[in-house]
Amino acid sequence: MQSDDIAWGVIGKGQCAYKAPSKTQMFCRNEFNLTGLCNRASCPLANSQYATVREENGVSYLYLKVVERSHFPKRLWEKMKLLKNMTAAVKLIGENLLHWSKFVRQKQD
């Protein structure tokens, strides 16, 4: 999306509170970042459609960010509880990310 490109243009070249530089590369401290690296593909701020898996109090959740919720910042992320069975959890993630980018799908599996 064009707005995603504009957001990354500002974040990638300018200031971002989540950037953490090192001698060799730039890291990201955003809790929703997939890889921990500061780059266009794994930046949750510069992608309208984004997903990540997080653990809270021993329970895993799939967080989905969709463009349709962008006008409701408080409800921007949809939180889905994953089953403790790894096979069932991976199947649920695959079903929910069926038409998403290959980068996001591969990082979740």
Side-chain angles (χ1 to χ4, degrees):
M1 292 189 92
Q2 185 177 4
S3 62
D4 292 346
D5 294 334
I6 293 169
W8 179 248
V10 173
I11 294 169
K13 295 181 179 105
Q15 296 294 321
C16 178
Y18 295 109
K19 283 185 177 180
S22 74
K23 289 182 180 180
T24 57
Q25 62 190 133
M26 189 71 69
F27 291 100
C28 179
R29 291 183 284 224
N30 189 305
E31 60 186 332
F32 292 105
N33 189 303
L34 280 173
T35 62
L37 300 175
C38 182
N39 60 40
R40 170 71 170 89
S42 61
C43 180
L45 303 175
N47 288 293
S48 299
Q49 189 177 41
Y50 196 80
T52 189
V53 175
R54 298 194 52 213
E55 181 186 350
E56 296 175 1
N57 299 325
V59 180
S60 296
Y61 294 95
L62 173 64
Y63 281 85
L64 302 169
K65 176 183 173 185
V66 289
V67 72
E68 291 84 14
R69 293 172 175 236
S70 63
H71 57 285
F72 292 116
K74 186 177 179 181
R75 292 186 271 163
L76 186 62
W77 292 90
E78 180 180 345
K79 181 177 172 181
M80 299 176 67
K81 185 176 180 181
L82 297 174
L83 301 172
K84 289 187 178 187
N85 181 335
M86 179 71 163
T87 307
V90 170
K91 182 179 177 186
L92 182 65
I93 292 170
E95 290 170 359
N96 284 288
L97 303 180
L98 185 62
H99 301 290
W100 289 50
S101 72
K102 188 175 182 179
F103 176 80
V104 173
R105 282 185 288 141
Q106 286 179 341
K107 294 294 179 190
Q108 303 306 319
D109 291 342

